[in-house]
Amino acid sequence: MARGNQGQGLGAALLRAALADSRSRLVREVFTATTTGAAFFRRHGFASAGPGRAPAAWAAALDPARGSEVLSRRL
């Protein structure tokens, strides 16, 4: 999303919709991988997934030099 569009609630609305859809499908936990959006996801209840909890393919693709992080939220 372009910086000029930030702060309008669009990302939060999309995230709420994705979480609602996940709940309706009986998903128990959702994950996200980010290099710059950790604060956004933390504001919405996500926390560090920790080693071994993230999907293996994601963990292998992370670039610690870029501050990559996997977060999760239990539903």
Side-chain angles (χ1 to χ4, degrees), residues 2-17:
R3 292 216 182 267
N5 292 325
Q6 289 182 337
Q8 296 179 24
L10 299 174
L14 288 169
L15 180 58
R16 281 192 303 274

Side-chain angles (χ1 to χ4, degrees), residues 16-41:
R16 281 192 303 274
L19 294 173
D21 182 65
S22 296
R23 279 188 204 94
S24 75
R25 296 170 188 265
L26 304 178
V27 172
R28 294 178 151 180
E29 186 170 17
V30 293
F31 292 86
T32 187
T34 183
T35 55
T36 60
F40 169 80
F41 287 104

Side-chain angles (χ1 to χ4, degrees), residues 32-61:
T32 187
T34 183
T35 55
T36 60
F40 169 80
F41 287 104
R42 288 182 195 286
R43 283 194 306 272
H44 293 279
F46 284 76
S48 292
R53 287 201 34 238
W58 286 17

Side-chain angles (χ1 to χ4, degrees), residues 57 69 74:
E69 188 174 1
R74 293 183 192 256

